Amino acid sequence: MPSDFSRRDFLKWMSAGAGAAATGGAVWLAGRNQPPPATATAAASPRSSAPDGSARPGLRSSAPMTAGDPAGRVLVVIELSGGNDGLSTLVPYGLPGYYDLRSATAVAESDLVVLDDEVGLHGALGRLAARGVAVVQGVGSWSPDGSHFEMMRRWWSGDNDGTAGYPTGFLGRLADAVGDPAAPAVALTIGSGNHPALISASAPTLALPNASASGYLVGADPEDVMRATFQGSLARFVETDADGWLGRVRRVGRQTISFADRIDGIAEPTEGDELEYPGSNLGQALRLTAALVAADTGVRIVHVPMGADFDTHENHAGRHPTLLGDLDAAVDVFLGDLERRGLADRVLVMTTSEFGRRARDNGSGGLDHGTASMAMLLGPVNAGRYGAHPSLTELDGDDNLVATVGLDSYYATVAEGWFGVPAGELFASPPEVLGGLFG
Amino acid sequence: MKERFTVVSCAAVHGAPMADPALLAHVLRRVTFGPHPGQVEALGELSPPELVEQLLAAGPNEPAEPELGTDEDYNLLPRWWIDVMGDPSAGLHERMVWFWHGHLTSSLGKSEPALLLRQHRLLRTHALGNFRELMQAITVDAAMLHWLDGNWSDASAPNENYAREVMELFCLGHGQYTEADVRAGAYLFSGWYVDGENGNEVTFGADWGPAEGRDFLGSWATNATEAIDVICDHPACAPFVAGEVYEHFVGEQPDDTVRAELAAAFRDTGLDIATLVAAVLRHPTFLERRGNRPRSALEFFLAARAVIEAPIEHWVLYDMGQIPFEPPNVAGWPGGGRWVSAGAFFAKAQLAWDNSWDTVVADADDPVGVILAKAGLYEVSDETRAVLEDAAWSVESRRDRATLLHALVVTCPEFSLA
């Protein structure tokens, strides 16, 4: 993507994407011939105050944050592994059927940050609600599957119905589209092992749990013969191409050393960091993410598996608020850190999760595997509700919610709106995009 | 009583030079957690198929169990098993316990150390036994009831977690069952609980278990035992499990012909695991497919610790993403390219640099040849050999030379392959 990508270009991308781009207000670009839902309100006209006139957080009506230069933009994808229950995150307290479905796990209206007379964000997300969240409702697959692994595979590859057979991951393709080919890493997953979502055709992508060990690979004082020889040998081990797994080990080794060179020293916490970020996996991963963005390492996409278990088959009501609370605390500190560093307009946060959970709770006080869920976007995005909330009274044959927004549509919306990458570059069959989230 | 696997007994018989040390090392890398330094040399001129037979014939190790009961249990348990797997006498049986722990996994994250140890005992008992008996036992294992939420599942609104995963991940594979089978299975598996009032004994409560039968996978079943029988009798079961065992040892899924052969041998013996494993290890592809997968973090850790001969703490396995009893999710540890990551490279360099202290190779005329053999690497690229040679002669002292060579041999690309 050219570095002088302008807002005009951006709008052109938007309109080229679906032929009916939204340049203001929220437009539901009817996917799969669904009628525009009555609930598709947007930032342009949010219900931002309560009937009594008091201000309500969540749907912020103030001017949205201006997005930064697209060439410097970063996408942070937080994966809520295990299957996050949409109905406990954006709670449809005012929609018919909710309290009938959920005898053990319903969230009371008093525990919500109410957004309007239909839905509210779970109170455990209070800090994020106060910042303003764009919620995309009903995200899922047109032909859902109950398997974690089948649905993770689809989400990771951006394959709505499981038939596209992409050899790459969605974030990997996005990295191919937006990355500087000379950067040591365009996309990064915060974790110990490579992630299928980041498999790319050409862009270098890496997996890293922390940055503290870079000094073992690079930066030896030449006077320190032992250390310098060790590091020099590591580099020489991997400098030549080879076939098969040997070649792969060497290639990743080269990328790692080159990336280590770029990030050496950044893991040193800036003043106050250690005090603010939660000690959770997510908190520490986001602390590293902020440091990476600030260091201008060429990383454009950071994938953060939350490292928590959203697979709440039992005791959902006890476990889920804790998970949301960790998300709320960690992302709030992260966004605050970005603001302090002057980076807030460059970083968009999005959530994913392989599926939502069953509409009815089970006898274990939990929720079995389901289908459609919801997703959240934070940062330079117009807060509001997007997409149609799934019906709570017309379920599918397996007692599941019916998706209203394809997972590929959700991805395409972010790809076009944030990076200006048209859906046609990323999907075999370009999905519809949602309007109104950006700009 | 079978003998434990030891290379000493082999060497006593075969004292002559080795025919193919690289192939022997391959067998030990895949079937044990070695090779440990000196093991390949001690095998003499034993042929690789003969080594396979020795490994198949060896009995299990029976390590003393850790004494649990303190706050340290959550660290003690994984550390104990890591040491057991790292023992040079750990052979095929230990490897199969590790395989089953990844396949029928459970986690300290949802149970407690004493119950994970109880499950571990179960896996040791059945590791090379009968698959049906293993599945019957694990279905009512306390840690599994915790992990997949069978605990207190009530037939009136049963929990689906175990029913789905026992078919998808443990026995049949994705696509071999319907959502109706998941619901029926959930009903049939209900009624069991871990009785915290009574030593965590697993108990069946008829009041909330299945009161009637269900159509399940095209058969009829009335309880958990019958449901497991239906699953084990399903035509997809033997081919699926055979493929998983084959992949563990051979590094890839079998082609259709091989899968059918293995499944037939497995099925014909009533799902005897030892028969299946023997068929996999005796299959020609086992010796042919070399270096076709990376070492997992645990495999790397144990091999590197054996080469460096230092008491390396297991904490590095947290950074590398593979701590026993703490799988990342219900499918255990994913394999393949996951282990060739930037994070793994960082962790390996750190482990190698922080722990290498030795002088054993310093006096040798060919220190690089010695260190490569110590690491079980008998076929390395010219590049790797050249780098080691240059490093060896770049430092003056014998101690520094030995330190560098140990640190470098475990970080060379070939050492990262299984």
Side-chain angles (χ1 to χ4, degrees):
Chain A
M1 193 163 62
S3 61
D4 58 352
F5 193 88
S6 68
R7 179 168 166 76
R8 189 176 55 79
D9 294 323
F10 168 64
L11 292 174
K12 209 165 80 185
W13 283 127
M14 290 287 285
S15 56
T23 52
V27 175
W28 169 251
L29 299 173
R32 290 171 54 86
N33 303 318
Q34 283 131 346
T39 54
T41 55
S45 56
R47 292 179 50 124
S48 58
S49 61
D52 64 4
S54 62
R56 278 182 169 172
L59 292 184
R60 193 180 43 187
S61 57
S62 58
M65 206 178 290
T66 312
D69 172 12
R73 288 183 186 174
V74 173
L75 175 65
V76 175
V77 184
I78 300 176
E79 182 171 346
L80 313 180
S81 308
N84 177 45
D85 183 42
L87 301 187
S88 305
T89 309
L90 183 74
V91 179
Y93 78 98
L95 290 178
Y98 174 66
Y99 290 99
D100 301 328
L101 291 169
R102 298 289 175 89
S103 58
T105 64
V107 185
E109 184 181 349
S110 56
D111 291 331
L112 301 178
V113 179
V114 166
L115 300 186
D116 54 34
D117 56 14
E118 293 184 344
V119 300
L121 282 164
H122 194 293
L125 293 172
R127 281 170 279 207
L128 299 187
R131 285 180 173 278
V133 184
V135 285
V136 182
Q137 307 172 110
V139 183
S141 163
W142 303 145
S143 57
D145 193 285
S147 159
H148 287 291
F149 303 95
E150 171 62 15
M151 290 308 299
M152 287 193 287
R153 191 183 68 73
R154 293 194 201 173
W155 271 93
W156 294 342
S157 65
D159 182 357
N160 182 319
D161 62 5
T163 62
Y166 294 116
T168 50
F170 169 73
L171 297 178
R173 293 198 295 282
L174 195 55
D176 286 331
V178 304
D180 170 4
V186 176
L188 189 78
T189 186
I190 308 293
S192 56
N194 293 331
H195 200 285
L198 273 67
I199 296 171
S200 63
S202 59
T205 69
L206 293 175
L208 200 65
N210 58 60
S212 59
S214 58
Y216 287 87
L217 299 186
V218 296
D221 180 348
E223 302 284 304
D224 182 348
V225 175
M226 284 288 282
R227 200 173 187 105
T229 305
F230 178 69
Q231 295 185 354
S233 300
L234 293 184
R236 281 184 59 209
F237 274 146
V238 298
E239 72 186 358
T240 314
D241 281 326
D243 292 332
W245 281 100
L246 182 63
R248 184 156 166 182
V249 171
R250 288 183 181 171
R251 190 178 70 246
V252 172
R254 286 199 297 277
Q255 290 172 7
T256 306
I257 290 170
S258 149
F259 191 62
D261 204 34
R262 195 78 81 95
I263 65 171
D264 197 23
I266 68 153
E268 302 306 318
T270 55
E271 210 169 318
D273 272 0
E274 295 284 21
L275 299 177
E276 291 185 29
Y277 277 95
S280 63
N281 285 337
L282 181 65
Q284 294 307 300
L286 290 176
R287 187 175 80 77
L288 174 59
T289 301
L292 288 168
V293 174
D296 206 15
T297 55
V299 171
R300 307 294 304 283
I301 299 162
V302 184
H303 172 250
V304 185
M306 188 164 153
D309 183 9
F310 282 84
D311 196 18
T312 49
H313 285 274
E314 55 83 46
N315 188 24
H316 175 86
R319 293 160 64 189
H320 193 249
T322 309
L323 296 165
L324 293 184
D326 181 25
L327 182 70
D328 185 65
V331 175
D332 180 61
V333 173
F334 175 63
L335 294 174
D337 191 7
L338 293 176
E339 285 163 4
R340 212 169 42 229
R341 296 172 189 257
L343 298 168
D345 65 338
R346 283 179 49 200
V347 181
L348 178 71
V349 176
M350 73 186 288
T351 67
T352 66
S353 191
E354 66 259 36
F355 45 55
R357 307 204 70 85
R358 190 68 46 82
R360 291 177 209 284
D361 36 33
N362 63 27
S364 314
L367 296 160
D368 290 315
H369 298 182
T371 52
S373 188
M374 53 75 76
M376 291 179 276
L377 291 152
L378 291 114
V381 61
N382 299 319
R385 291 171 68 188
Y386 299 87
H389 197 286
S391 169
L392 302 178
T393 50
E394 292 178 28
L395 305 175
D396 74 9
D398 292 315
D399 254 7
N400 276 313
L401 303 179
V402 177
T404 58
V405 177
L407 64 92
D408 48 349
S409 281
Y410 174 50
Y411 277 153
T413 301
V414 172
E416 287 204 10
W418 184 240
F419 283 132
V421 178
E425 269 190 41
L426 301 166
F427 298 96
S429 170
E432 307 289 349
V433 300
L434 307 182
L437 282 93
F438 300 98
Chain B
M1 184 67 206
K2 288 175 172 179
E3 294 292 316
R4 296 182 354 165
F5 170 69
T6 66
V7 293
V8 179
S9 63
C10 313
V13 183
H14 307 272
M18 289 169 291
D20 192 344
L23 207 46
L24 294 172
H26 164 75
V27 173
L28 293 175
R29 258 194 296 279
R30 294 290 173 92
V31 183
T32 76
F33 296 97
H36 288 255
Q39 276 187 327
V40 172
E41 286 72 19
L43 292 170
E45 65 176 2
L46 196 72
S47 72
E50 287 174 312
L51 174 58
V52 166
E53 294 306 317
Q54 295 220 5
L55 289 162
L56 287 169
N61 281 6
E62 286 163 3
E65 290 188 356
E67 285 186 28
L68 301 180
T70 73
D71 292 346
E72 271 300 292
D73 287 356
Y74 285 85
N75 295 321
L76 181 61
L77 186 64
R79 185 188 292 137
W80 166 77
W81 192 22
I82 288 166
D83 289 345
V84 166
M85 288 187 278
D87 188 297
S89 69
L92 172 63
H93 177 266
E94 203 65 47
R95 176 58 93 151
M96 284 304 292
V97 179
W98 172 242
F99 166 79
W100 289 121
H101 175 56
H103 187 73
L104 309 172
T105 203
S106 294
S107 171
L108 286 169
K110 280 176 78 173
S111 195
E112 55 187 272
L115 297 183
L116 265 298
L117 179 60
R118 191 195 289 178
Q119 181 184 84
H120 180 78
R121 213 177 284 142
L122 183 161
L123 297 181
R124 297 193 85 81
T125 301
H126 296 279
L128 284 162
N130 181 276
F131 181 72
R132 186 186 306 260
E133 291 172 20
L134 169 59
M135 288 312 305
Q136 293 288 7
I138 202 84
T139 297
V140 289
D141 170 72
M144 183 61 79
L145 287 167
H146 284 150
W147 177 236
L148 290 180
D149 304 313
N151 190 30
W152 294 105
S153 175
D154 187 325
S156 66
N159 195 300
E160 294 179 3
N161 206 5
Y162 188 74
R164 181 185 303 280
E165 306 305 5
V166 73
M167 292 189 281
E168 178 183 341
L169 300 178
F170 296 174
C171 298
L172 304 180
H174 183 248
Q176 299 293 341
Y177 54 88
T178 65
E179 289 299 305
D181 290 322
V182 173
R183 288 192 290 272
Y187 175 81
L188 294 166
F189 289 120
S190 66
W192 295 88
Y193 65 103
V194 182
D195 188 353
E197 307 283 296
N198 186 20
N200 287 323
E201 193 171 312
V202 174
T203 308
F204 181 70
D207 289 353
W208 57 92
E212 55 193 41
R214 283 283 189 275
D215 277 314
F216 181 54
L217 292 168
S219 297
W220 182 256
T222 63
N223 58 36
T225 308
E226 290 177 13
I228 289 295
D229 278 337
V230 168
I231 290 172
C232 289
D233 291 336
H234 191 281
C237 180
F240 174 78
V241 176
E244 297 299 293
V245 170
Y246 181 92
E247 182 171 356
H248 185 76
F249 289 107
V250 184
E252 61 199 30
Q253 284 282 321
D255 65 28
D256 290 348
T257 312
V258 174
R259 185 188 299 275
E261 283 171 31
L262 297 171
F266 191 33
R267 197 184 290 120
D268 288 350
T269 54
L271 306 179
D272 180 57
I273 299 164
T275 300
L276 171 62
V277 172
V280 169
L281 297 183
R282 287 170 182 154
H283 199 280
T285 52
F286 170 63
L287 294 178
E288 288 164 15
R289 302 286 198 275
R290 292 154 64 184
N292 67 340
R293 71 165 176 86
R295 272 180 159 144
S296 75
L298 181 90
E299 290 173 324
F300 172 87
F301 174 84
L302 292 176
R305 196 167 71 167
V307 172
I308 295 176
E309 297 181 277
I312 306 173
E313 289 281 349
H314 71 294
W315 308 119
V316 65
L317 283 169
Y318 281 97
D319 269 353
M320 298 176 83
Q322 196 168 38
I323 287 280
F325 304 109
E326 294 194 32
N329 61 42
V330 291
W333 292 272
R338 169 190 166 79
W339 302 115
V340 184
S341 68
F345 195 35
F346 275 40
K348 288 172 182 181
Q350 181 170 7
L351 177 153
W353 180 259
D354 285 348
N355 293 287
S356 294
W357 302 98
D358 200 272
T359 57
V360 172
V361 300
D363 293 321
D365 292 337
D366 176 18
V368 171
V370 170
I371 195 71
L372 285 170
K374 190 178 183 188
L377 298 174
Y378 300 91
E379 287 174 329
V380 293
S381 60
D382 293 343
E383 290 89 344
T384 289
R385 193 176 291 274
V387 172
L388 292 173
E389 289 288 351
D390 290 350
W393 306 112
S394 68
V395 289
E396 297 290 329
S397 85
R398 295 182 306 172
R399 182 176 171 281
D400 284 353
R401 180 171 305 133
T403 299
L404 259 182
L405 286 178
H406 279 85
L408 286 172
V409 81
V410 300
T411 44
C412 80
E414 286 87 347
F415 197 79
S416 281
L417 300 182

